[in-house]
Amino acid sequence: MFFNTNYMGGKKKQITFKAVKYKYGRIMSRLGYSDEFIDNYYKEWSKDKIPRLNDFMWHLFNRALYENENLNLEEMFFRHKQIYYAMGIFVMEYENGNRNRYTRLAFEAELNYFLLKNEQSNLFYEVRIICGTNCEYAESINGFQRSPEDMMKWQPLASEKCINPKGCNCGYSLKILRDENDRLLKKNKKIKIKTATLIFKGQKKYLFLF
């Protein structure tokens, strides 16, 4: 799946090459894209075309998503969250659009990461909602806790109910469950979890654990 913002209206602002490195250099570095790589790759990419840096940014985002498919699931979901979130910020700052389409994908990747962590651990986890600002809907669900699987089914953040004009600025946090004596709750070691149900790009996938 390749992403662009052709569906959006409004006047776009072209990003500068300096901003590419200054605002997105950290995440690009985490993905293995050094400043030198970006310089050389841009020269190669812009041959025989009218170079628009906004288009180049979308190309880099999509390249990173494609390359992530070769990673293990845990690393893939972790990186997908970062990339989708950065795409949302880019849409908000340079494409004159609402970032929630991409922020929701970032949250979906994060919840998949939490699902995987919960299934592989001998501890019990729950996901907690931390609301941002400027949204009555977010305030109404602030502090809600669900199991990773139930939160994935619900997916309340960056939804159509969000009324923040700049897009959802809420978040999820993963919490280890404790008993009334503040001791960590552990799963019965005799029970082996065979599969974890993951939701990726709207489709169910099953991870077999041994």
Side-chain angles (χ1 to χ4, degrees), residues 33-113:
Y33 300 162
S34 65
D35 285 353
E36 182 180 1
F37 170 84
I38 292 174
D39 286 336
N40 294 331
Y41 192 60
Y42 176 73
K43 291 175 183 177
E44 178 185 343
W45 174 85
S46 61
K47 287 180 181 178
D48 304 321
K49 63 168 65 76
I50 299 174
R52 294 186 177 90
L53 280 169
N54 282 28
D55 293 340
F56 180 63
M57 283 299 299
W58 285 113
H59 179 76
L60 281 180
F61 287 141
N62 282 297
R63 176 191 169 106
L65 289 172
Y66 176 78
E67 291 179 343
N68 279 357
E69 301 290 336
N70 298 319
L71 301 173
N72 64 66
L73 283 174
E74 185 173 348
E75 184 67 17
M76 184 189 75
F77 288 134
F78 183 76
R79 290 193 178 197
H80 271 28
K81 176 201 170 183
Q82 295 178 309
I83 296 167
Y84 284 131
Y85 194 82
M87 290 166 82
I89 297 297
F90 182 75
V91 164
M92 181 180 67
E93 292 186 339
Y94 294 98
E95 301 281 346
N96 195 34
N98 188 293
R99 63 181 177 176
N100 276 359
R101 177 190 182 191
Y102 300 99
T103 302
R104 187 168 178 82
L105 287 170
F107 285 146
E108 183 181 274
E110 183 175 41
L111 289 174
N112 270 313
Y113 177 81

Coordinates of all heavy atoms in Angstrom, one line a residue, residues 33-113:
Y33 N 18.7 5.8 7.3 CA 18.9 6.8 6.3 C 19.7 7.9 6.8 O 19.2 8.8 7.5 CB 17.5 7.3 5.7 CG 16.6 6.2 5.2 CD1 15.3 6.5 5.0 CD2 17.1 5.0 4.8 CE1 14.4 5.5 4.5 CE2 16.3 4.0 4.2 CZ 14.9 4.3 4.1 OH 14.1 3.3 3.6
S34 N 21.0 7.9 6.5 CA 21.9 9.0 7.0 C 21.7 10.2 6.1 O 21.1 10.2 5.0 CB 23.3 8.6 6.9 OG 23.7 8.3 5.6
D35 N 22.2 11.4 6.6 CA 22.1 12.6 5.8 C 22.8 12.4 4.4 O 22.3 12.9 3.4 CB 22.8 13.8 6.5 CG 21.9 14.3 7.6 OD1 20.8 13.9 7.8 OD2 22.4 15.1 8.4
E36 N 23.9 11.7 4.4 CA 24.6 11.4 3.2 C 23.8 10.6 2.2 O 23.7 10.8 1.0 CB 26.0 10.7 3.5 CG 26.8 10.5 2.2 CD 28.1 9.8 2.6 OE1 28.3 9.5 3.7 OE2 28.9 9.5 1.6
F37 N 23.1 9.6 2.8 CA 22.3 8.7 2.0 C 21.1 9.5 1.4 O 20.8 9.4 0.2 CB 21.7 7.6 2.8 CG 20.6 6.8 2.1 CD1 20.9 5.8 1.2 CD2 19.2 7.1 2.3 CE1 19.9 5.1 0.6 CE2 18.2 6.4 1.6 CZ 18.6 5.4 0.8
I38 N 20.5 10.4 2.2 CA 19.4 11.2 1.7 C 19.9 12.1 0.6 O 19.2 12.3 -0.5 CB 18.8 12.0 2.8 CG1 18.1 11.0 3.8 CG2 17.8 13.0 2.3 CD1 17.5 11.7 5.0
D39 N 21.1 12.7 0.7 CA 21.6 13.6 -0.3 C 21.8 12.9 -1.6 O 21.3 13.3 -2.7 CB 23.0 14.2 0.1 CG 22.8 15.3 1.2 OD1 21.8 15.9 1.3 OD2 23.8 15.5 1.9
N40 N 22.4 11.7 -1.6 CA 22.7 11.0 -2.8 C 21.4 10.4 -3.4 O 21.3 10.3 -4.6 CB 23.7 9.9 -2.5 CG 25.1 10.4 -2.1 OD1 25.5 11.5 -2.5 ND2 25.8 9.7 -1.3
Y41 N 20.6 9.9 -2.5 CA 19.3 9.3 -3.0 C 18.4 10.3 -3.7 O 17.8 10.0 -4.7 CB 18.6 8.6 -1.9 CG 17.5 7.7 -2.3 CD1 17.8 6.6 -3.2 CD2 16.2 7.9 -1.9 CE1 16.7 5.8 -3.6 CE2 15.2 7.0 -2.3 CZ 15.4 6.0 -3.1 OH 14.4 5.2 -3.6
Y42 N 18.4 11.5 -3.1 CA 17.6 12.6 -3.7 C 18.1 12.9 -5.1 O 17.3 13.1 -6.1 CB 17.6 13.8 -2.9 CG 16.8 15.0 -3.5 CD1 15.4 15.0 -3.5 CD2 17.5 16.1 -4.0 CE1 14.7 16.0 -4.1 CE2 16.8 17.1 -4.6 CZ 15.4 17.1 -4.7 OH 14.7 18.1 -5.2
K43 N 19.4 13.0 -5.3 CA 20.0 13.3 -6.6 C 19.6 12.2 -7.6 O 19.3 12.5 -8.8 CB 21.5 13.4 -6.5 CG 22.0 14.6 -5.7 CD 23.5 14.5 -5.6 CE 24.0 15.7 -4.7 NZ 25.5 15.7 -4.5
E44 N 19.6 10.9 -7.2 CA 19.2 9.8 -8.1 C 17.8 9.9 -8.4 O 17.3 9.7 -9.5 CB 19.6 8.5 -7.4 CG 19.2 7.3 -8.2 CD 19.5 6.0 -7.5 OE1 20.3 6.0 -6.5 OE2 19.0 5.0 -7.8
W45 N 16.9 10.1 -7.3 CA 15.5 10.1 -7.4 C 15.0 11.2 -8.3 O 14.0 11.0 -9.1 CB 14.9 10.2 -6.1 CG 13.4 10.3 -6.1 CD1 12.4 9.3 -6.1 CD2 12.6 11.5 -6.0 NE1 11.2 9.8 -6.1 CE2 11.2 11.2 -6.1 CE3 13.0 12.9 -6.0 CZ2 10.2 12.1 -6.0 CZ3 12.0 13.8 -5.9 CH2 10.6 13.5 -6.0
S46 N 15.6 12.4 -8.3 CA 15.1 13.6 -9.0 C 15.5 13.7 -10.4 O 15.2 14.6 -11.1 CB 15.6 14.8 -8.2 OG 17.0 14.9 -8.2
K47 N 16.3 12.7 -10.9 CA 16.7 12.7 -12.3 C 15.5 12.6 -13.2 O 14.6 11.8 -12.9 CB 17.7 11.6 -12.6 CG 19.1 11.8 -12.0 CD 20.0 10.6 -12.4 CE 21.4 10.8 -11.8 NZ 22.2 9.6 -12.1
D48 N 15.5 13.3 -14.3 CA 14.4 13.2 -15.3 C 13.0 13.5 -14.8 O 12.0 12.9 -15.3 CB 14.5 11.8 -16.0 CG 15.8 11.4 -16.5 OD1 16.4 12.3 -17.1 OD2 16.3 10.3 -16.4
K49 N 12.9 14.3 -13.8 CA 11.6 14.7 -13.3 C 11.7 16.1 -12.6 O 12.8 16.6 -12.3 CB 11.1 13.7 -12.3 CG 11.9 13.5 -11.0 CD 11.1 12.8 -9.9 CE 10.9 11.3 -10.3 NZ 12.1 10.5 -10.1
I50 N 10.5 16.7 -12.5 CA 10.5 18.0 -11.8 C 10.6 17.7 -10.3 O 9.6 17.1 -9.7 CB 9.2 18.8 -12.1 CG1 9.1 19.1 -13.6 CG2 9.2 20.1 -11.3 CD1 7.8 19.7 -14.0
P51 N 11.7 18.0 -9.6 CA 11.8 17.6 -8.2 C 11.0 18.4 -7.3 O 11.1 19.6 -7.2 CB 13.3 17.8 -8.0 CG 13.7 18.9 -8.9 CD 12.9 18.7 -10.1
R52 N 10.1 17.7 -6.6 CA 9.3 18.3 -5.5 C 9.6 17.6 -4.2 O 9.4 16.4 -4.1 CB 7.8 18.3 -5.8 CG 7.4 19.1 -7.0 CD 5.9 19.1 -7.2 NE 5.4 19.9 -8.3 CZ 5.3 19.5 -9.5 NH1 5.5 18.2 -9.8 NH2 4.9 20.3 -10.5
L53 N 10.1 18.3 -3.2 CA 10.5 17.7 -2.0 C 9.4 17.0 -1.2 O 9.6 16.0 -0.5 CB 11.3 18.7 -1.1 CG 12.7 19.0 -1.5 CD1 13.3 20.2 -0.8 CD2 13.6 17.8 -1.2
N54 N 8.2 17.5 -1.4 CA 7.1 16.9 -0.7 C 6.9 15.4 -1.3 O 6.7 14.5 -0.6 CB 5.8 17.7 -0.9 CG 5.7 18.9 0.0 OD1 6.7 19.4 0.4 ND2 4.5 19.3 0.3
D55 N 7.0 15.3 -2.6 CA 6.9 14.0 -3.3 C 8.1 13.1 -2.8 O 7.9 11.9 -2.6 CB 6.9 14.1 -4.8 CG 5.7 14.8 -5.3 OD1 4.7 14.9 -4.6 OD2 5.8 15.4 -6.5
F56 N 9.2 13.7 -2.7 CA 10.4 12.9 -2.2 C 10.2 12.4 -0.8 O 10.5 11.3 -0.5 CB 11.6 13.8 -2.2 CG 12.9 13.1 -1.8 CD1 13.4 12.0 -2.5 CD2 13.6 13.5 -0.7 CE1 14.5 11.3 -2.0 CE2 14.7 12.9 -0.2 CZ 15.2 11.8 -0.9
M57 N 9.6 13.2 0.1 CA 9.3 12.8 1.4 C 8.3 11.6 1.4 O 8.5 10.6 2.1 CB 8.7 13.9 2.3 CG 9.7 14.9 2.8 SD 11.0 14.2 3.8 CE 10.0 13.6 5.2
W58 N 7.3 11.6 0.6 CA 6.3 10.5 0.5 C 7.0 9.3 0.0 O 6.8 8.1 0.4 CB 5.1 10.9 -0.4 CG 4.2 11.8 0.3 CD1 3.9 13.1 0.0 CD2 3.4 11.5 1.5 NE1 3.0 13.6 0.9 CE2 2.6 12.6 1.8 CE3 3.2 10.3 2.3 CZ2 1.7 12.7 2.9 CZ3 2.3 10.4 3.3 CH2 1.6 11.5 3.6
H59 N 8.0 9.5 -0.9 CA 8.7 8.4 -1.5 C 9.6 7.7 -0.4 O 9.6 6.5 -0.3 CB 9.6 8.9 -2.6 CG 10.5 7.8 -3.2 ND1 10.0 6.8 -4.1 CD2 11.8 7.5 -3.0 CE1 11.0 6.0 -4.4 NE2 12.1 6.4 -3.8
L60 N 10.2 8.5 0.5 CA 11.0 8.0 1.6 C 10.1 7.2 2.6 O 10.5 6.2 3.1 CB 11.8 9.1 2.3 CG 13.0 9.6 1.6 CD1 13.7 10.7 2.4 CD2 14.1 8.5 1.4
F61 N 9.0 7.8 2.9 CA 8.1 7.2 3.9 C 7.7 5.8 3.3 O 7.7 4.8 4.1 CB 6.8 8.0 4.1 CG 7.1 9.3 4.9 CD1 6.4 10.5 4.6 CD2 7.9 9.2 6.1 CE1 6.6 11.6 5.4 CE2 8.1 10.3 6.9 CZ 7.4 11.5 6.5
N62 N 7.3 5.8 2.1 CA 6.8 4.5 1.5 C 7.9 3.5 1.3 O 7.7 2.3 1.5 CB 6.1 4.7 0.1 CG 4.7 5.3 0.3 OD1 3.8 4.6 0.8 ND2 4.5 6.5 -0.2
R63 N 9.1 4.0 1.0 CA 10.3 3.1 1.0 C 10.5 2.4 2.3 O 10.8 1.2 2.4 CB 11.5 3.9 0.5 CG 12.8 3.1 0.5 CD 14.0 3.9 0.3 NE 15.2 3.2 0.5 CZ 16.1 2.8 -0.4 NH1 15.8 3.0 -1.7 NH2 17.2 2.1 -0.1
A64 N 10.5 3.3 3.4 CA 10.7 2.8 4.7 C 9.7 1.7 5.1 O 10.0 0.7 5.7 CB 10.7 3.9 5.7
L65 N 8.4 2.0 4.8 CA 7.3 1.0 5.1 C 7.6 -0.3 4.4 O 7.4 -1.4 4.9 CB 6.0 1.6 4.7 CG 5.4 2.7 5.6 CD1 4.2 3.3 5.0 CD2 5.1 2.2 7.0
Y66 N 8.0 -0.2 3.1 CA 8.2 -1.4 2.3 C 9.4 -2.2 2.9 O 9.3 -3.5 3.0 CB 8.5 -1.0 0.9 CG 8.9 -2.2 0.0 CD1 7.9 -3.1 -0.5 CD2 10.2 -2.5 -0.3 CE1 8.2 -4.1 -1.3 CE2 10.5 -3.5 -1.2 CZ 9.5 -4.4 -1.6 OH 9.9 -5.4 -2.4
E67 N 10.5 -1.6 3.3 CA 11.6 -2.2 3.8 C 11.3 -2.9 5.2 O 11.9 -3.9 5.6 CB 12.8 -1.3 3.9 CG 13.4 -0.9 2.6 CD 14.5 0.1 2.7 OE1 14.7 0.7 3.8 OE2 15.2 0.3 1.7
N68 N 10.4 -2.3 5.9 CA 10.1 -2.8 7.3 C 9.5 -4.2 7.2 O 9.5 -4.9 8.2 CB 9.1 -1.9 8.0 CG 9.8 -0.7 8.6 OD1 11.0 -0.6 8.6 ND2 9.0 0.2 9.2
E69 N 8.9 -4.5 6.0 CA 8.2 -5.8 5.9 C 9.2 -7.0 6.1 O 8.7 -8.1 6.3 CB 7.5 -5.9 4.5 CG 6.4 -4.8 4.3 CD 5.2 -5.0 5.1 OE1 4.9 -6.1 5.5 OE2 4.5 -4.0 5.4
N70 N 10.4 -6.7 5.9 CA 11.4 -7.8 6.1 C 11.9 -8.0 7.5 O 12.7 -8.9 7.7 CB 12.7 -7.4 5.2 CG 12.3 -7.4 3.7 OD1 11.5 -8.2 3.2 ND2 12.9 -6.4 3.0
L71 N 11.4 -7.2 8.4 CA 11.8 -7.3 9.8 C 11.0 -8.3 10.6 O 9.9 -8.7 10.1 CB 11.8 -5.9 10.5 CG 12.6 -4.8 9.9 CD1 12.3 -3.4 10.5 CD2 14.1 -5.1 10.0
N72 N 11.4 -8.6 11.8 CA 10.5 -9.4 12.6 C 9.3 -8.6 13.0 O 9.4 -7.3 13.0 CB 11.3 -10.0 13.8 CG 11.7 -8.9 14.8 OD1 11.0 -8.2 15.4 ND2 13.1 -8.8 14.9
L73 N 8.2 -9.2 13.4 CA 7.0 -8.5 13.7 C 7.1 -7.4 14.7 O 6.6 -6.3 14.6 CB 5.9 -9.5 14.1 CG 5.2 -10.3 13.0 CD1 4.3 -11.3 13.6 CD2 4.5 -9.4 12.0
E74 N 7.9 -7.7 15.8 CA 8.0 -6.7 16.9 C 8.7 -5.5 16.4 O 8.2 -4.4 16.6 CB 8.8 -7.4 18.0 CG 8.9 -6.5 19.3 CD 9.5 -7.2 20.4 OE1 9.7 -8.4 20.4 OE2 9.9 -6.5 21.4
E75 N 9.8 -5.6 15.7 CA 10.5 -4.5 15.2 C 9.7 -3.8 14.1 O 9.7 -2.5 14.0 CB 11.9 -4.9 14.6 CG 12.7 -3.8 14.1 CD 13.2 -2.9 15.2 OE1 13.2 -3.3 16.4 OE2 13.7 -1.8 14.9
M76 N 9.0 -4.5 13.2 CA 8.2 -3.9 12.2 C 7.1 -3.0 12.7 O 6.9 -1.9 12.3 CB 7.6 -5.0 11.3 CG 6.8 -4.5 10.1 SD 5.8 -5.7 9.3 CE 4.4 -5.9 10.4
F77 N 6.4 -3.5 13.7 CA 5.3 -2.7 14.3 C 5.8 -1.5 15.0 O 5.3 -0.4 14.9 CB 4.5 -3.5 15.3 CG 3.6 -4.6 14.6 CD1 3.5 -5.9 15.1 CD2 2.8 -4.2 13.5 CE1 2.7 -6.8 14.5 CE2 2.0 -5.2 12.9 CZ 1.9 -6.5 13.4
F78 N 7.0 -1.6 15.7 CA 7.6 -0.5 16.4 C 8.0 0.6 15.4 O 7.7 1.8 15.6 CB 8.8 -1.0 17.1 CG 9.5 0.1 17.9 CD1 8.9 0.5 19.1 CD2 10.7 0.7 17.5 CE1 9.6 1.6 19.9 CE2 11.3 1.7 18.2 CZ 10.7 2.1 19.4
R79 N 8.6 0.2 14.2 CA 9.0 1.2 13.2 C 7.8 1.7 12.5 O 7.8 2.9 12.1 CB 10.0 0.5 12.3 CG 11.3 0.2 12.9 CD 12.3 -0.1 11.8 NE 13.7 -0.3 12.4 CZ 14.8 -0.3 11.6 NH1 14.7 -0.1 10.4 NH2 15.9 -0.5 12.2
H80 N 6.8 0.9 12.2 CA 5.6 1.4 11.5 C 5.0 2.5 12.3 O 4.5 3.5 11.7 CB 4.6 0.2 11.3 CG 4.8 -0.5 10.0 ND1 6.0 -0.6 9.4 CD2 3.9 -1.2 9.3 CE1 5.9 -1.3 8.3 NE2 4.6 -1.7 8.2
K81 N 4.9 2.3 13.6 CA 4.3 3.4 14.5 C 5.1 4.7 14.2 O 4.4 5.8 14.0 CB 4.4 3.0 15.9 CG 3.9 4.1 16.9 CD 4.4 4.0 18.3 CE 4.1 5.2 19.1 NZ 4.6 5.2 20.4
Q82 N 6.4 4.7 14.2 CA 7.2 5.9 14.1 C 6.9 6.5 12.7 O 6.8 7.8 12.6 CB 8.6 5.6 14.3 CG 9.0 5.2 15.7 CD 10.5 4.8 15.8 OE1 11.0 4.1 15.0 NE2 11.1 5.4 16.8
I83 N 6.9 5.7 11.7 CA 6.8 6.2 10.3 C 5.4 6.8 10.1 O 5.2 7.9 9.6 CB 7.0 5.1 9.3 CG1 8.5 4.6 9.4 CG2 6.8 5.6 7.9 CD1 8.7 3.3 8.6
Y84 N 4.3 6.1 10.5 CA 3.0 6.6 10.3 C 2.8 7.9 11.1 O 2.1 8.8 10.6 CB 1.9 5.6 10.7 CG 1.8 4.4 9.7 CD1 1.8 3.1 10.1 CD2 1.5 4.7 8.4 CE1 1.6 2.1 9.2 CE2 1.4 3.7 7.5 CZ 1.4 2.4 7.9 OH 1.2 1.3 7.0
Y85 N 3.3 8.0 12.3 CA 3.2 9.2 13.1 C 3.8 10.3 12.4 O 3.3 11.5 12.3 CB 3.7 9.0 14.5 CG 3.3 10.1 15.4 CD1 2.1 10.0 16.1 CD2 4.2 11.1 15.7 CE1 1.7 11.0 16.9 CE2 3.8 12.2 16.6 CZ 2.5 12.1 17.2 OH 2.2 13.1 18.0
A86 N 5.1 10.1 11.9 CA 5.8 11.2 11.1 C 5.0 11.6 9.9 O 5.0 12.8 9.5 CB 7.2 10.7 10.8
M87 N 4.4 10.6 9.2 CA 3.6 11.0 8.0 C 2.4 11.9 8.4 O 2.1 12.8 7.7 CB 3.0 9.7 7.4 CG 4.1 8.8 6.8 SD 3.5 7.1 6.4 CE 2.7 7.4 4.8
G88 N 1.8 11.6 9.6 CA 0.7 12.4 10.0 C 1.1 13.9 10.3 O 0.4 14.8 10.0
I89 N 2.3 14.0 11.0 CA 2.8 15.3 11.2 C 3.1 16.1 9.9 O 2.9 17.3 9.8 CB 4.1 15.3 12.1 CG1 3.8 14.6 13.5 CG2 4.7 16.6 12.3 CD1 2.8 15.4 14.3
F90 N 3.7 15.3 9.0 CA 4.0 15.9 7.7 C 2.7 16.4 7.0 O 2.7 17.5 6.4 CB 4.7 14.9 6.8 CG 5.1 15.4 5.5 CD1 6.2 16.3 5.3 CD2 4.4 15.1 4.3 CE1 6.6 16.8 4.1 CE2 4.8 15.5 3.1 CZ 5.9 16.4 3.0
V91 N 1.7 15.6 7.0 CA 0.4 16.0 6.4 C -0.1 17.3 7.1 O -0.6 18.2 6.4 CB -0.7 14.9 6.6 CG1 -2.1 15.4 6.3 CG2 -0.4 13.8 5.6
M92 N 0.0 17.4 8.4 CA -0.5 18.5 9.1 C 0.3 19.8 8.8 O -0.3 20.9 8.6 CB -0.5 18.2 10.6 CG -1.0 19.4 11.5 SD -1.0 19.0 13.3 CE 0.8 18.9 13.5
E93 N 1.6 19.6 8.7 CA 2.5 20.8 8.6 C 2.6 21.3 7.1 O 2.8 22.5 6.9 CB 3.8 20.5 9.2 CG 3.8 20.4 10.7 CD 5.2 20.2 11.3 OE1 6.1 19.9 10.5 OE2 5.4 20.5 12.5
Y94 N 2.6 20.3 6.2 CA 2.9 20.7 4.8 C 1.9 20.4 3.8 O 1.9 20.9 2.7 CB 4.2 20.0 4.4 CG 5.4 20.5 5.1 CD1 5.9 19.7 6.3 CD2 6.1 21.6 4.8 CE1 7.0 20.2 7.0 CE2 7.1 22.1 5.5 CZ 7.6 21.4 6.6 OH 8.7 21.9 7.3
E95 N 0.9 19.5 4.1 CA -0.1 19.2 3.1 C -1.5 19.8 3.4 O -2.5 19.5 2.8 CB -0.3 17.6 3.1 CG 1.0 16.9 2.7 CD 1.3 17.0 1.2 OE1 0.4 17.3 0.4 OE2 2.5 16.7 0.8
N96 N -1.5 20.6 4.5 CA -2.8 21.3 4.9 C -3.9 20.3 5.1 O -5.0 20.5 4.7 CB -3.2 22.3 3.8 CG -4.2 23.3 4.3 OD1 -4.2 23.6 5.4 ND2 -5.1 23.7 3.4
G97 N -3.6 19.2 5.8 CA -4.6 18.2 6.0 C -4.7 17.7 7.5 O -3.8 18.1 8.3
N98 N -5.7 16.9 7.8 CA -5.8 16.4 9.1 C -5.0 15.1 9.2 O -5.0 14.2 8.3 CB -7.3 16.0 9.4 CG -7.5 15.6 10.8 OD1 -7.1 14.6 11.3 ND2 -8.3 16.4 11.6
R99 N -4.2 15.0 10.2 CA -3.3 13.9 10.3 C -3.9 12.6 10.8 O -3.2 11.6 10.9 CB -2.1 14.2 11.3 CG -2.6 14.5 12.7 CD -1.4 14.9 13.6 NE -1.9 15.2 15.0 CZ -1.0 15.5 15.9 NH1 0.3 15.5 15.7 NH2 -1.5 15.8 17.1
N100 N -5.2 12.5 11.1 CA -5.7 11.4 11.8 C -5.7 10.1 11.0 O -5.6 9.0 11.6 CB -7.1 11.6 12.3 CG -7.2 12.4 13.6 OD1 -6.2 12.7 14.2 ND2 -8.4 12.7 14.1
R101 N -5.7 10.1 9.7 CA -5.6 8.9 8.9 C -4.3 8.2 9.2 O -4.3 6.9 9.4 CB -5.7 9.3 7.4 CG -5.5 8.1 6.5 CD -5.3 8.5 5.1 NE -5.2 7.3 4.2 CZ -4.8 7.4 2.9 NH1 -4.6 8.5 2.4 NH2 -4.8 6.3 2.2
Y102 N -3.2 8.9 9.3 CA -1.9 8.3 9.6 C -1.7 8.0 11.1 O -1.0 7.1 11.4 CB -0.8 9.2 9.0 CG -1.0 9.3 7.5 CD1 -1.6 10.5 6.9 CD2 -0.7 8.3 6.6 CE1 -1.8 10.6 5.6 CE2 -0.9 8.4 5.2 CZ -1.4 9.6 4.7 OH -1.7 9.7 3.4
T103 N -2.2 8.9 11.9 CA -2.1 8.7 13.3 C -2.8 7.5 13.8 O -2.3 6.7 14.6 CB -2.6 10.0 14.1 OG1 -2.0 11.1 13.7 CG2 -2.4 9.8 15.6
R104 N -3.9 7.2 13.1 CA -4.7 6.0 13.5 C -3.9 4.7 13.1 O -3.9 3.7 13.8 CB -6.0 6.0 12.8 CG -6.9 4.8 13.2 CD -8.4 5.1 12.7 NE -9.2 3.9 13.1 CZ -9.8 3.8 14.3 NH1 -9.6 4.7 15.2 NH2 -10.6 2.7 14.5
L105 N -3.2 4.8 11.9 CA -2.3 3.7 11.5 C -1.2 3.5 12.5 O -0.7 2.4 12.8 CB -1.8 3.9 10.1 CG -2.9 3.7 9.0 CD1 -2.3 4.2 7.6 CD2 -3.3 2.3 8.8
A106 N -0.7 4.6 13.0 CA 0.4 4.6 14.0 C -0.1 3.9 15.2 O 0.6 3.0 15.8 CB 0.9 6.0 14.3
F107 N -1.3 4.2 15.7 CA -1.9 3.6 16.9 C -2.1 2.1 16.6 O -1.9 1.3 17.5 CB -3.1 4.3 17.3 CG -2.9 5.7 17.9 CD1 -3.8 6.7 17.7 CD2 -1.8 5.9 18.7 CE1 -3.7 7.9 18.3 CE2 -1.6 7.2 19.3 CZ -2.6 8.2 19.1
E108 N -2.6 1.8 15.4 CA -2.8 0.4 15.1 C -1.5 -0.4 15.2 O -1.5 -1.5 15.8 CB -3.4 0.3 13.7 CG -3.8 -1.2 13.4 CD -4.4 -1.3 12.0 OE1 -5.6 -1.1 11.8 OE2 -3.6 -1.5 11.0
A109 N -0.5 0.1 14.7 CA 0.8 -0.5 14.8 C 1.3 -0.7 16.2 O 1.8 -1.7 16.6 CB 1.9 0.2 14.0
E110 N 1.1 0.4 17.0 CA 1.4 0.3 18.4 C 0.7 -0.7 19.2 O 1.2 -1.5 20.0 CB 1.2 1.7 19.1 CG 1.7 1.8 20.5 CD 1.6 3.2 21.1 OE1 0.6 3.8 20.8 OE2 2.5 3.6 21.8
L111 N -0.7 -0.8 18.9 CA -1.5 -1.8 19.6 C -1.1 -3.2 19.2 O -1.1 -4.1 20.0 CB -3.0 -1.5 19.3 CG -3.6 -0.3 20.0 CD1 -5.0 -0.1 19.5 CD2 -3.6 -0.5 21.5
N112 N -0.7 -3.4 17.9 CA -0.2 -4.7 17.5 C 1.1 -5.0 18.3 O 1.3 -6.2 18.7 CB 0.1 -4.7 16.0 CG -1.1 -5.1 15.2 OD1 -1.7 -6.2 15.5 ND2 -1.5 -4.4 14.2
Y113 N 1.9 -4.0 18.5 CA 3.2 -4.2 19.3 C 2.8 -4.6 20.7 O 3.4 -5.6 21.3 CB 4.0 -2.9 19.2 CG 5.2 -3.0 20.1 CD1 6.4 -3.6 19.6 CD2 5.3 -2.4 21.3 CE1 7.6 -3.6 20.3 CE2 6.4 -2.4 22.1 CZ 7.6 -3.0 21.6 OH 8.7 -3.0 22.3

